[in-house]
């Protein structure tokens, strides 16, 4: 645990240096830290708070305000169902419901064993393919309720 | 790479680049916007690279991956220049034939051509495709000719010449005058006259002379992706616009605030900045003029509200994206309390055009109060989904039918939604409405950033209102009572209406809450949130009343108000729906007999309706 | 100095003041919930909205934030203003049906019931406690977390905040008495209205002269440090000091 903490400290310090300890770049700093660790470990927030002289409560506010930042780890596979207007009019809600049923979780949650995280996203600019589901960066277009099961199977 | 030290030096470099390019040499341009990526354009590009290499044709044929071409419905798109032969829905398997036939022998491959649905004829050239023919692609057109990761491509089409012109002795005030004269209005939704904004910012006092400019690339309206495609496909056009604006305003520091959901846009603009710096087009003493300007990129954090200027600036200061009252405008006190000019991506991209061609030329396009062109994302229930650039003043009908190709599957047009969550719906009765800032606002909608969502008879207007309010409820920052509490209550009422619990007085309550939001909300998110609700009530009140009084959803969308039924005469008992049903509510009725649907178990997911090819499932 | 009109009466006011400040100074009542003169105005409750006319243009603005200007014409009452205030209080009544202060304010505004479904929250999210902790006390122990309908006042991770010194400024400034301070014996307990937060206890300092418990030790340590005083400076309670 100690060795790990030392590692974390070093990595966070590198990120802070990269942004020259600029308070204005806080969201970018947190995003970079999150890319390192798959989420924002509490210790990293404490370190940022101390180094940048930002009250811990303000850091916590920023972390909980922005949807891109998370305090808990994400699943191995990220499933994003597009809920943009174009996909919505083509039936995205049914696709989401079907996916939730298939995985047994609701949007925003992660399956037991950290296998899948299900999230919604508001428009990825692939409207011609709507409804769109993106898994691990791969686009699955013209998605329908009955195609969801097989789509997920590809990643299990 | 030596930094350019004068506008003349820039022109010399440009000349040298252009002279080295053989305009007769075939160039295979492959659209690599995000939409085409989703269609698998990478495999197509790889196949082309491989095949060209295998045949040893590198010297005779160029392969270029470009940004989004706009005709997203038909991707992957491949255009063979200079003849502009337009191939659509290209797959990796078509590649060797394209090279051997079209590139080497000038033979056209019919099956890859676009067929004009009106004439039934195949179209060979890009500019003849009806989708493109009726557009005026002043800003977006270059996307099809340049590789966004190669600055020399931008220079070859005249890039940075406007900057060179400005830095050759045009006074900042004169630049502002030209932009004012052009009538350019903000393309992000506000529609504020850009030149006036710049002037106010230049004139606002700054104790240390610091002024900021910002490019708002936090394109958050769902269904709108114009800015993304501009940033991905032609990032230098935005940088050039920002440089000119910064010079005019007297700013030396700029920010591009990009949604984090746009990784390719972030990558391309980062690279563009680096390349521009190497050429000396960014940084200190640009083109030897003594003018310094540098740009930084900030990513958004997944908050729609950060598209609002004061919230965006708060986020740039490391705080939560809470808007503030703008009784003192951000052009006077913006980022870090300094005078700040914030403009949208498309607005910045229009600037080099205005400087190069002049305000007089620019004003020839558009209407009296809305000059120039606008890029729209035409999506939803429309045949030709994609990005279209049209002159202001064109009618909705032309966009949806002539360019968009009308409604798929022969369905009836119902309404088009513009302006994103801040806009409203425009029904068939107003289909001839000319598209311009004021006309759209008068109709109860607004231009917004350019999203244009087409809806047909199968879309429920109550559901659409519910969708937008639900979206905004999730994106509200939560600071002020009308928005935080008001949107939640509006959504509750819309839930009630769509789930059969609507009652007398609901519409009036929605209208009252709408007024309070419009008058009392702290920022534009709250103040414009009622628009989708008010406009759907205005034009489709009968639908609301059907839901409330008759507990019926005329479009057949609202789950609690519809039932799925098997039309026994049409059902041969094939059992496809039995397999598809996630609730096991459909059972076989026996061999070759119609299936049986148990209403108690039915969860109204619609899987059976989707999977049945014989129309034996009815929604009522 | 600028001249402005409020409800048809003319006033002279210093530039830089807000309409609310000028109105208060002159005995003109404008309802507020999220405003307190000791902290910066926030503009969140929208109760203080008034109608202003300037250069021929009329609109509704939050008086706690709008700076006065020469020739400004203000109306503190109008049908639109009234609609906003009544609807805001209806929304707050539905959110926090058990808060006496909200009921009182509702009555004052002529509202006796709400058309919305009742919830059960205890905090109106005015943010005064957060601003007091940040601007007056300077420790920022609590903040507004999450976004939109999930927004709440909380300490990081909902745990007893290390930064809190137990001064109780938050409880003092809360317009709806949602934060409870209980001084019993040698312990002060502060309970925030957020159900996810446990009450926090603070050891109270005993006066070396009279033996009364009078303030949290943590608070006194903080003040001593900030003022550059020796910790012994607070061994004696204010009553016993000469």
């Amino acid at each position: 645990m100690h060795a790990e903490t030392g590692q974390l400290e070093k990595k966070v310090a590198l990120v802070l240096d990269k942004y020259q300890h600029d308070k204005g770049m806080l969201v970018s700093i947190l995003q970079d830290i999150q890319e390192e660790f798959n989420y924002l470990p509490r210790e990293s927030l404490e370190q940022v708070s101390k180094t940048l002289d930002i009250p811990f409560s303000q850091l916590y506010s920023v972390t909980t305000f922005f949807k891109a930042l998370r305090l808990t780890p994400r699943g191995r596979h990220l499933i994003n169902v597009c809920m943009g207007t174009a996909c919505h009019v083509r039936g995205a809600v049914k696709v989401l419901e079907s996916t939730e049923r298939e995985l047994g979780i609701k949007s925003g949650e992660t399956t037991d064993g950290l296998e899948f995280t299900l999230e919604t996203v508001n428009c990825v600019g692939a409207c011609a393919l709507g409804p769109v589901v993106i898994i691990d960066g791969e686009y699955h277009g013209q998605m329908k309720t009955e195609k969801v099961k097989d789509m997920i199977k590809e990643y299990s | 790479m030596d930094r350019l030290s004068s506008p003349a030096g820039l022109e010399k470099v440009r000349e040298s680049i252009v002279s080295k390019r053989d305009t007769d040499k075939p160039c295979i341009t492959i659209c690599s916007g995000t939409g085409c990526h989703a269609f698998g354009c990478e495999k197509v590009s790889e196949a082309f690279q491989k095949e060209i290499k295998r045949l040893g044709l590198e010297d005779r044929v160029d392969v270029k991956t470009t940004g989004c071409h706009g005709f997203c419905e038909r991707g992957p798109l491949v255009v063979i220049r200079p003849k502009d032969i337009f191939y659509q829905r290209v797959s990796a398997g078509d590649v060797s034939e394209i090279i051997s036939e079209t590139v080497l022998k000038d033979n056209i491959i019919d099956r890859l051509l676009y067929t004009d649905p009106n004439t039934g004829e195949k179209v060979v050239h890009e500019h003849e495709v009806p989708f493109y023919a009726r557009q005026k692609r002043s800003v977006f057109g270059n996307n099809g000719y340049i590789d966004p990761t190669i600055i020399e491509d931008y220079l070859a089409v005249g890039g940075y010449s406007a900057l060179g012109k400005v830095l050759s002795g045009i006074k900042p005030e004169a630049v502002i005058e030209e932009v004012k004269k052009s009538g350019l209005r903000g393309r992000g939704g506000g529609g504020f006259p850009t030149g006036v904004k710049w002037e106010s910012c230049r004139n606002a006092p700054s104790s240390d002379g610091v002024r900021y400019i910002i490019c708002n690339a936090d394109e958050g309206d769902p269904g709108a992706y114009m800015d993304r495609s501009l940033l991905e496909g032609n990032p230098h056009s935005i940088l050039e616009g920002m440089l000119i604006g910064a010079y005019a305003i007297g700013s030396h520091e700029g920010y591009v605030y990009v949604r984090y959901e746009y990784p390719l846009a972030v990558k391309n603009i980062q690279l563009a900045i680096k390349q521009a710096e190497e050429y000396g087009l960014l940084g200190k003493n640009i083109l030897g003029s003594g003018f310094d300007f540098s740009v930084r990129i900030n990513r958004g954090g997944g908050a729609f509200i950060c598209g609002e200027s004061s919230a965006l600036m708060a986020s740039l200061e490391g705080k939560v994206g809470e808007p503030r009252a703008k009784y003192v405008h951000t052009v006077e006190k913006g980022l870090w309390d300094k005078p700040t000019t914030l403009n949208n991506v498309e607005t910045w991209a229009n600037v080099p055009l205005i400087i190069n061609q002049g305000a007089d030329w620019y004003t020839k396009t558009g209407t009296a109060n809305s000059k120039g062109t606008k890029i729209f994302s035409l999506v939803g229930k429309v045949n030709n989904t994609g990005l279209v650039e049209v002159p202001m003043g064109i009618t909705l009908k032309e966009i949806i039918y002539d360019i968009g190709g009308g409604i798929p599957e022969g369905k009836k047009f119902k309404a088009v939604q513009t302006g994103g969550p801040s806009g409203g719906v425009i029904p068939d009765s107003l289909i001839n409405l000319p598209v311009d800032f004021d006309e759209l606002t008068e109709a109860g909608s607004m231009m917004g950033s350019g999203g244009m969502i087409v809806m047909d008879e199968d879309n429920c207007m109550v559901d659409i209102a519910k969708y937008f309010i639900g979206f905004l409820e999730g994106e509200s920052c939560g600071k002020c009572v009308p928005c935080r509490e008001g949107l939640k209550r509006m959504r509750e009422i819309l839930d009630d209406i769509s789930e059969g619990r609507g009652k007398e007085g609901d519409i009036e309550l929605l209208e009252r809450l709408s007024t309070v939001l419009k008058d009392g909300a702290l920022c534009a998110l709250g103040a414009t949130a009622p628009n989708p609700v008010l406009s759907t009530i205005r034009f489709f009140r009968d639908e609301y009343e059907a839901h409330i009084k008759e507990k019926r959803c005329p479009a057949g969308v609202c789950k609690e108000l519809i039932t799925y039924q098997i039309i026994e005469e049409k059902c041969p008992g094939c059992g496809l729906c039995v397999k598809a049903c996630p609730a096991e509510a459909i059972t076989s009725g026996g061999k070759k007999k119609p299936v049986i649907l148990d209403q108690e178990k039915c969860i109204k997911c619609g899987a059976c309706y989707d999977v049945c090819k014989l129309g034996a499932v009815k929604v009522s | 100095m600028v001249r402005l009109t409020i409800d048809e009466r003319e006033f002279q006011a210093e530039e830089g003041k807000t309409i609310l400040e000028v109105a208060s100074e002159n005995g003109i009542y404008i309802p507020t919930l999220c405003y307190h003169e000791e902290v910066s105005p926030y503009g969140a409750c929208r109760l203080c909205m008034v109608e202003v006319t300037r250069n021929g243009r009329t609109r509704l603005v939050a008086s706690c934030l709008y700076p006065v200007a020469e020739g400004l014409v203000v109306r503190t009452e109008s049908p639109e203003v009234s609609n906003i205030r009544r609807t805001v209080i209806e929304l707050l009544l539905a959110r926090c049906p058990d808060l006496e202060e909200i009921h009182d304010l509702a009555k004052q505004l002529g509202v006796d019931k709400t058309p919305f479904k009742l919830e059960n929250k205890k905090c109106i999210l005015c943010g005064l406690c957060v601003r007091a902790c940040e601007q007056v006390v300077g420790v920022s122990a609590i903040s507004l977390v999450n976004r939109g309908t999930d927004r709440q006042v909380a300490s990081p991770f909902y745990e007893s905040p290390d930064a809190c010194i137990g001064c109780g400024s938050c409880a003092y400034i809360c317009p709806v008495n949602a934060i409870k301070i209980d001084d019993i014996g040698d312990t002060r307990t502060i309970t925030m209205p957020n159900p996810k937060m446990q009450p926090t206890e603070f050891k109270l300092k005993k006066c070396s002269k009279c033996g009364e418990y009078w303030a949290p030790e943590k608070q006194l340590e903080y003040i001593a440090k900030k003022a550059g005083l020796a910790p012994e400076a607070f061994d004696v309670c204010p009553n016993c000091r000469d």
Side-chain angles (χ1 to χ4, degrees), chain C residues 153-174:
Chain C
V153 172
S155 54
F157 298 96
Y158 306 99
E159 294 165 2
S160 291
D162 285 333
C164 177
I165 58 171
C167 69
S169 302
C170 52
Y172 173 72
I173 206 172
C174 176

PDB file of all heavy atoms in Angstrom, chain C residues 153-174:
ATOM      1  N   VAL C 153     -26.045  20.624   0.078  1.00  0.00           N
ATOM      2  CA  VAL C 153     -24.947  21.161   0.874  1.00  0.00           C
ATOM      3  C   VAL C 153     -24.316  19.972   1.574  1.00  0.00           C
ATOM      4  O   VAL C 153     -25.004  19.176   2.214  1.00  0.00           O
ATOM      5  CB  VAL C 153     -25.450  22.172   1.922  1.00  0.00           C
ATOM      6  CG1 VAL C 153     -24.323  22.571   2.859  1.00  0.00           C
ATOM      7  CG2 VAL C 153     -26.029  23.390   1.232  1.00  0.00           C
ATOM      8  N   ALA C 154     -23.003  19.822   1.441  1.00  0.00           N
ATOM      9  CA  ALA C 154     -22.352  18.673   2.067  1.00  0.00           C
ATOM     10  C   ALA C 154     -20.881  18.964   2.317  1.00  0.00           C
ATOM     11  O   ALA C 154     -20.310  19.893   1.745  1.00  0.00           O
ATOM     12  CB  ALA C 154     -22.492  17.443   1.175  1.00  0.00           C
ATOM     13  N   SER C 155     -20.309  18.124   3.159  1.00  0.00           N
ATOM     14  CA  SER C 155     -18.867  18.152   3.350  1.00  0.00           C
ATOM     15  C   SER C 155     -18.299  17.094   2.414  1.00  0.00           C
ATOM     16  O   SER C 155     -19.024  16.201   1.985  1.00  0.00           O
ATOM     17  CB  SER C 155     -18.533  17.801   4.796  1.00  0.00           C
ATOM     18  OG  SER C 155     -19.153  16.578   5.112  1.00  0.00           O
ATOM     19  N   PRO C 156     -17.010  17.181   2.078  1.00  0.00           N
ATOM     20  CA  PRO C 156     -16.448  16.196   1.165  1.00  0.00           C
ATOM     21  C   PRO C 156     -16.687  14.772   1.641  1.00  0.00           C
ATOM     22  O   PRO C 156     -16.417  14.434   2.790  1.00  0.00           O
ATOM     23  CB  PRO C 156     -14.954  16.537   1.166  1.00  0.00           C
ATOM     24  CG  PRO C 156     -14.898  17.978   1.528  1.00  0.00           C
ATOM     25  CD  PRO C 156     -16.032  18.202   2.477  1.00  0.00           C
ATOM     26  N   PHE C 157     -17.224  13.965   0.740  1.00  0.00           N
ATOM     27  CA  PHE C 157     -17.540  12.564   1.029  1.00  0.00           C
ATOM     28  C   PHE C 157     -18.527  12.408   2.179  1.00  0.00           C
ATOM     29  O   PHE C 157     -18.644  11.327   2.762  1.00  0.00           O
ATOM     30  CB  PHE C 157     -16.253  11.757   1.308  1.00  0.00           C
ATOM     31  CG  PHE C 157     -15.328  11.718   0.128  1.00  0.00           C
ATOM     32  CD1 PHE C 157     -14.286  12.623   0.021  1.00  0.00           C
ATOM     33  CD2 PHE C 157     -15.501  10.800  -0.898  1.00  0.00           C
ATOM     34  CE1 PHE C 157     -13.437  12.620  -1.092  1.00  0.00           C
ATOM     35  CE2 PHE C 157     -14.655  10.782  -2.008  1.00  0.00           C
ATOM     36  CZ  PHE C 157     -13.626  11.706  -2.093  1.00  0.00           C
ATOM     37  N   TYR C 158     -19.225  13.459   2.505  1.00  0.00           N
ATOM     38  CA  TYR C 158     -20.255  13.471   3.553  1.00  0.00           C
ATOM     39  C   TYR C 158     -19.709  13.144   4.938  1.00  0.00           C
ATOM     40  O   TYR C 158     -20.469  12.823   5.847  1.00  0.00           O
ATOM     41  CB  TYR C 158     -21.394  12.491   3.205  1.00  0.00           C
ATOM     42  CG  TYR C 158     -21.977  12.744   1.833  1.00  0.00           C
ATOM     43  CD1 TYR C 158     -21.586  11.984   0.736  1.00  0.00           C
ATOM     44  CD2 TYR C 158     -22.892  13.764   1.632  1.00  0.00           C
ATOM     45  CE1 TYR C 158     -22.092  12.243  -0.524  1.00  0.00           C
ATOM     46  CE2 TYR C 158     -23.400  14.029   0.367  1.00  0.00           C
ATOM     47  CZ  TYR C 158     -22.993  13.264  -0.709  1.00  0.00           C
ATOM     48  OH  TYR C 158     -23.489  13.523  -1.958  1.00  0.00           O
ATOM     49  N   GLU C 159     -18.384  13.237   5.073  1.00  0.00           N
ATOM     50  CA  GLU C 159     -17.804  12.934   6.379  1.00  0.00           C
ATOM     51  C   GLU C 159     -17.659  14.200   7.196  1.00  0.00           C
ATOM     52  O   GLU C 159     -17.681  15.301   6.658  1.00  0.00           O
ATOM     53  CB  GLU C 159     -16.434  12.292   6.202  1.00  0.00           C
ATOM     54  CG  GLU C 159     -16.508  10.942   5.541  1.00  0.00           C
ATOM     55  CD  GLU C 159     -15.147  10.491   5.051  1.00  0.00           C
ATOM     56  OE1 GLU C 159     -14.170  11.215   5.273  1.00  0.00           O
ATOM     57  OE2 GLU C 159     -15.091   9.399   4.460  1.00  0.00           O
ATOM     58  N   SER C 160     -17.494  14.050   8.497  1.00  0.00           N
ATOM     59  CA  SER C 160     -17.265  15.219   9.344  1.00  0.00           C
ATOM     60  C   SER C 160     -16.041  15.948   8.811  1.00  0.00           C
ATOM     61  O   SER C 160     -14.956  15.386   8.767  1.00  0.00           O
ATOM     62  CB  SER C 160     -17.041  14.788  10.787  1.00  0.00           C
ATOM     63  OG  SER C 160     -18.231  14.285  11.299  1.00  0.00           O
ATOM     64  N   PRO C 161     -16.217  17.195   8.394  1.00  0.00           N
ATOM     65  CA  PRO C 161     -15.106  17.866   7.711  1.00  0.00           C
ATOM     66  C   PRO C 161     -13.975  18.256   8.651  1.00  0.00           C
ATOM     67  O   PRO C 161     -14.216  18.866   9.697  1.00  0.00           O
ATOM     68  CB  PRO C 161     -15.771  19.112   7.119  1.00  0.00           C
ATOM     69  CG  PRO C 161     -16.998  19.322   7.921  1.00  0.00           C
ATOM     70  CD  PRO C 161     -17.400  18.036   8.536  1.00  0.00           C
ATOM     71  N   ASP C 162     -12.756  17.900   8.242  1.00  0.00           N
ATOM     72  CA  ASP C 162     -11.583  18.291   9.034  1.00  0.00           C
ATOM     73  C   ASP C 162     -11.504  19.790   9.191  1.00  0.00           C
ATOM     74  O   ASP C 162     -11.099  20.306  10.224  1.00  0.00           O
ATOM     75  CB  ASP C 162     -10.288  17.831   8.316  1.00  0.00           C
ATOM     76  CG  ASP C 162     -10.093  16.352   8.452  1.00  0.00           C
ATOM     77  OD1 ASP C 162     -10.592  15.788   9.445  1.00  0.00           O
ATOM     78  OD2 ASP C 162      -9.442  15.757   7.572  1.00  0.00           O
ATOM     79  N   ALA C 163     -11.909  20.485   8.135  1.00  0.00           N
ATOM     80  CA  ALA C 163     -11.732  21.942   8.132  1.00  0.00           C
ATOM     81  C   ALA C 163     -12.709  22.658   9.062  1.00  0.00           C
ATOM     82  O   ALA C 163     -12.487  23.805   9.429  1.00  0.00           O
ATOM     83  CB  ALA C 163     -11.891  22.460   6.707  1.00  0.00           C
ATOM     84  N   CYS C 164     -13.783  22.004   9.460  1.00  0.00           N
ATOM     85  CA  CYS C 164     -14.793  22.674  10.285  1.00  0.00           C
ATOM     86  C   CYS C 164     -14.270  22.965  11.676  1.00  0.00           C
ATOM     87  O   CYS C 164     -13.688  22.095  12.330  1.00  0.00           O
ATOM     88  CB  CYS C 164     -16.049  21.814  10.379  1.00  0.00           C
ATOM     89  SG  CYS C 164     -17.323  22.522  11.448  1.00  0.00           S
ATOM     90  N   ILE C 165     -14.467  24.202  12.137  1.00  0.00           N
ATOM     91  CA  ILE C 165     -13.973  24.566  13.464  1.00  0.00           C
ATOM     92  C   ILE C 165     -15.101  24.666  14.486  1.00  0.00           C
ATOM     93  O   ILE C 165     -14.888  25.075  15.624  1.00  0.00           O
ATOM     94  CB  ILE C 165     -13.199  25.901  13.424  1.00  0.00           C
ATOM     95  CG1 ILE C 165     -14.100  27.026  12.882  1.00  0.00           C
ATOM     96  CG2 ILE C 165     -11.939  25.764  12.582  1.00  0.00           C
ATOM     97  CD1 ILE C 165     -13.478  28.417  13.018  1.00  0.00           C
ATOM     98  N   GLY C 166     -16.308  24.311  14.073  1.00  0.00           N
ATOM     99  CA  GLY C 166     -17.419  24.275  15.008  1.00  0.00           C
ATOM    100  C   GLY C 166     -17.935  25.635  15.436  1.00  0.00           C
ATOM    101  O   GLY C 166     -18.591  25.761  16.473  1.00  0.00           O
ATOM    102  N   CYS C 167     -17.694  26.656  14.625  1.00  0.00           N
ATOM    103  CA  CYS C 167     -18.081  28.007  15.048  1.00  0.00           C
ATOM    104  C   CYS C 167     -19.578  28.239  14.997  1.00  0.00           C
ATOM    105  O   CYS C 167     -20.099  29.130  15.669  1.00  0.00           O
ATOM    106  CB  CYS C 167     -17.367  29.053  14.193  1.00  0.00           C
ATOM    107  SG  CYS C 167     -17.928  29.087  12.476  1.00  0.00           S
ATOM    108  N   GLY C 168     -20.282  27.487  14.145  1.00  0.00           N
ATOM    109  CA  GLY C 168     -21.726  27.647  14.074  1.00  0.00           C
ATOM    110  C   GLY C 168     -22.205  28.817  13.233  1.00  0.00           C
ATOM    111  O   GLY C 168     -23.398  29.147  13.253  1.00  0.00           O
ATOM    112  N   SER C 169     -21.316  29.439  12.477  1.00  0.00           N
ATOM    113  CA  SER C 169     -21.747  30.559  11.621  1.00  0.00           C
ATOM    114  C   SER C 169     -22.801  30.102  10.638  1.00  0.00           C
ATOM    115  O   SER C 169     -23.711  30.859  10.291  1.00  0.00           O
ATOM    116  CB  SER C 169     -20.553  31.131  10.845  1.00  0.00           C
ATOM    117  OG  SER C 169     -19.560  31.560  11.721  1.00  0.00           O
ATOM    118  N   CYS C 170     -22.653  28.879  10.170  1.00  0.00           N
ATOM    119  CA  CYS C 170     -23.614  28.336   9.206  1.00  0.00           C
ATOM    120  C   CYS C 170     -25.015  28.283   9.824  1.00  0.00           C
ATOM    121  O   CYS C 170     -25.995  28.684   9.199  1.00  0.00           O
ATOM    122  CB  CYS C 170     -23.174  26.946   8.744  1.00  0.00           C
ATOM    123  SG  CYS C 170     -22.822  25.778  10.095  1.00  0.00           S
ATOM    124  N   ALA C 171     -25.084  27.835  11.062  1.00  0.00           N
ATOM    125  CA  ALA C 171     -26.384  27.737  11.725  1.00  0.00           C
ATOM    126  C   ALA C 171     -26.981  29.121  11.951  1.00  0.00           C
ATOM    127  O   ALA C 171     -28.182  29.333  11.802  1.00  0.00           O
ATOM    128  CB  ALA C 171     -26.235  27.006  13.051  1.00  0.00           C
ATOM    129  N   TYR C 172     -26.100  30.036  12.274  1.00  0.00           N
ATOM    130  CA  TYR C 172     -26.548  31.405  12.559  1.00  0.00           C
ATOM    131  C   TYR C 172     -27.155  32.059  11.328  1.00  0.00           C
ATOM    132  O   TYR C 172     -28.169  32.747  11.398  1.00  0.00           O
ATOM    133  CB  TYR C 172     -25.350  32.208  13.069  1.00  0.00           C
ATOM    134  CG  TYR C 172     -25.619  33.668  13.243  1.00  0.00           C
ATOM    135  CD1 TYR C 172     -26.417  34.137  14.288  1.00  0.00           C
ATOM    136  CD2 TYR C 172     -25.096  34.602  12.342  1.00  0.00           C
ATOM    137  CE1 TYR C 172     -26.680  35.490  14.438  1.00  0.00           C
ATOM    138  CE2 TYR C 172     -25.354  35.954  12.476  1.00  0.00           C
ATOM    139  CZ  TYR C 172     -26.142  36.389  13.521  1.00  0.00           C
ATOM    140  OH  TYR C 172     -26.405  37.727  13.652  1.00  0.00           O
ATOM    141  N   ILE C 173     -26.530  31.842  10.184  1.00  0.00           N
ATOM    142  CA  ILE C 173     -26.954  32.549   8.984  1.00  0.00           C
ATOM    143  C   ILE C 173     -28.104  31.842   8.247  1.00  0.00           C
ATOM    144  O   ILE C 173     -28.768  32.447   7.407  1.00  0.00           O
ATOM    145  CB  ILE C 173     -25.739  32.772   8.035  1.00  0.00           C
ATOM    146  CG1 ILE C 173     -25.950  33.992   7.142  1.00  0.00           C
ATOM    147  CG2 ILE C 173     -25.469  31.536   7.206  1.00  0.00           C
ATOM    148  CD1 ILE C 173     -24.724  34.377   6.337  1.00  0.00           C
ATOM    149  N   CYS C 174     -28.348  30.578   8.566  1.00  0.00           N
ATOM    150  CA  CYS C 174     -29.371  29.821   7.829  1.00  0.00           C
ATOM    151  C   CYS C 174     -30.745  30.444   8.013  1.00  0.00           C
ATOM    152  O   CYS C 174     -31.219  30.566   9.148  1.00  0.00           O
ATOM    153  CB  CYS C 174     -29.388  28.371   8.293  1.00  0.00           C
ATOM    154  SG  CYS C 174     -30.708  27.397   7.526  1.00  0.00           S
TER     155      CYS C 174
END
